[in-house]
Amino acid sequence: MTATSMFTGDANPYAGGDPYADYRSADLPFTHHADLADRRLGGGVVAANDEFFAQRENLLVPGRAEFDPEHFGHKGKVMDGWETRRRRGVSAGHPWPADDDHDWALVRLGAPGVIRGIVVDTAHFRGNHPQAVSVEGTSLPGSPSPEELLADDVKWTTLVPRTPVGGHAANGFAVDVEQRFTHLRVKQHPDGGIARLRVHGEVVPDPAWLAALGTFDVVALENGGRVEDASDRFYSPATHTIQPGRSRKMDDGWETRRRRDRGNDWITYRLADRSRVRAAEIDTAYLKGNAAGWASLSVKDGEGGEWREILPRTRLQPDTNHRFVLPEEAVGTHARVDIFPDGGISRLRLFGALTEDGAARLAARHQELGG
């Protein structure tokens, strides 16, 4: 574990105006990976020992935390995060918390996988953030209850050792543990508030589940697909195109800036593993005046393979889900969508099945990572 950005101590009291004007952050190189705890993937905060001031579920809300200086409730200031009450000591002679006192929350990852970095965001918690945090991970099959996760025989692996953090800051920690995790235990020492938790990493799907499905979306984030590169991320991330479900608003897709040249925009993907692609969907939901005009699809087989077009340049309609049955199976490990000349798409789906060698490789990695 490496503390990528070290912020300690309180931030200045809120003085009015833009509450993010003095927010402390830094470039965190691991954030290009998907957020494995994303609510849209099925992430959840399944339990916490205390949530007196603010609910644990706020930790995984998409988007940055909001701050309303006038919003107070019966228990005090209403905060957009997870906030516990102040801990006290055992007596008047020793009113301070013990060294090992802490509050905890259990987080279920929406997509189990290898964690590359964690962001503990204390936005708007200026003098009421924890002094330090720590994070542990475990891997359990099925859908364990909080009681099962807290059982004595569950093995927890340290991902972030107890480390001081700063208030009103994006506290980032690079993680170097080559193991598949399904759940996290987040501790704040001794108490306080955390606005958001982001868990960036690579999805490692369950090969038995994919085998049972047979045909599935081989580029979907939840099935192990991922974006490798994109020509433009001006308005929204390319990863949105492989999120679960249909887009619900314009910025829930991928949109590029307006081109003023003769080029075109594109995204390249790595599939779950080597696959046979049989059908595709290109969705432009909620992109009405800014949808791509045309699109084409290509695949390549292996890192050194050549791109082969499987869907020629085809006219797209705004706010429409387009379905294509391919004339023949396309075998590959990577895919590419080109849009012309610019604009956006909301989702890409590639339906198929793993090849025999792709399934074997995925199963071997799953076992190697302790899945």
Side-chain angles (χ1 to χ4, degrees), residues 156-235:
W156 291 91
T157 300
T158 299
L159 305 178
V160 178
R162 182 170 174 169
T163 307
V165 293
H168 198 44
N171 299 276
F173 304 91
V175 176
D176 186 21
V177 180
E178 205 67 20
Q179 185 177 334
R180 180 182 186 266
F181 294 101
T182 62
H183 293 78
L184 301 184
R185 180 163 61 187
V186 180
K187 297 179 180 179
Q188 46 178 337
H189 308 266
D191 54 37
I194 299 171
R196 296 289 189 267
L197 178 75
R198 305 301 186 215
V199 185
H200 298 280
E202 300 169 10
V203 178
V204 181
D206 181 353
W209 174 252
L210 298 183
L213 293 178
T215 297
F216 60 93
D217 182 0
V218 298
V219 76
L221 185 61
E222 60 190 325
N223 293 333
R226 65 178 186 265
V227 168
E228 287 208 322
D229 201 2
S231 60
D232 187 290
R233 299 178 176 88
F234 189 82
Y235 286 112

Side-chain angles (χ1 to χ4, degrees), residues 68-282:
D68 181 352
E70 304 299 326
H71 194 188
F72 286 83
H74 295 295
K75 294 182 179 180
K77 180 73 183 71
V78 176
M79 297 294 290
D80 185 9
W82 168 50
E83 185 180 6
T84 66
R85 72 194 78 200
R86 299 186 187 219
R87 284 183 170 269
R88 299 302 188 216
V90 296
S91 67
H94 198 286
W96 309 280
D99 288 343
D100 59 352
D101 280 353
H102 66 271
D103 292 317
W104 54 263
L106 298 176
V107 177
R108 179 190 64 244
L109 299 182
V114 178
I115 297 168
R116 301 303 184 193
I118 294 173
V119 180
V120 177
D121 188 347
T122 57
H124 315 304
F125 289 97
R126 295 170 175 270
N128 51 349
H129 59 287
Q131 182 183 36
V133 299
S134 59
V135 184
E136 302 163 296
T138 191
S139 182
L140 292 180
S143 303
S145 67
E147 293 74 21
E148 290 170 320
L149 287 165
L150 294 172
D152 292 339
D153 60 346
V154 173
K155 178 185 176 182
W156 291 91
T157 300
T158 299
L159 305 178
V160 178
R162 182 170 174 169
T163 307
V165 293
H168 198 44
N171 299 276
F173 304 91
V175 176
D176 186 21
V177 180
E178 205 67 20
Q179 185 177 334
R180 180 182 186 266
F181 294 101
T182 62
H183 293 78
L184 301 184
R185 180 163 61 187
V186 180
K187 297 179 180 179
Q188 46 178 337
H189 308 266
D191 54 37
I194 299 171
R196 296 289 189 267
L197 178 75
R198 305 301 186 215
V199 185
H200 298 280
E202 300 169 10
V203 178
V204 181
D206 181 353
W209 174 252
L210 298 183
L213 293 178
T215 297
F216 60 93
D217 182 0
V218 298
V219 76
L221 185 61
E222 60 190 325
N223 293 333
R226 65 178 186 265
V227 168
E228 287 208 322
D229 201 2
S231 60
D232 187 290
R233 299 178 176 88
F234 189 82
Y235 286 112
S236 45
T239 302
H240 282 179
T241 61
I242 54 175
Q243 287 276 10
R246 294 199 73 199
S247 174
R248 297 184 178 182
K249 53 182 180 175
M250 189 175 72
D251 67 352
D252 191 20
W254 172 60
E255 182 188 355
T256 71
R257 73 191 82 195
R258 301 188 187 212
R259 276 191 171 268
R260 303 306 187 195
D261 59 20
R262 295 293 180 177
N264 74 282
D265 289 314
W266 48 266
I267 307 173
T268 57
Y269 306 87
R270 178 183 289 273
L271 306 183
D273 212 294
R274 192 166 186 255
S275 305
R276 301 180 185 276
V277 182
R278 304 185 183 109
E281 289 185 0
I282 301 176

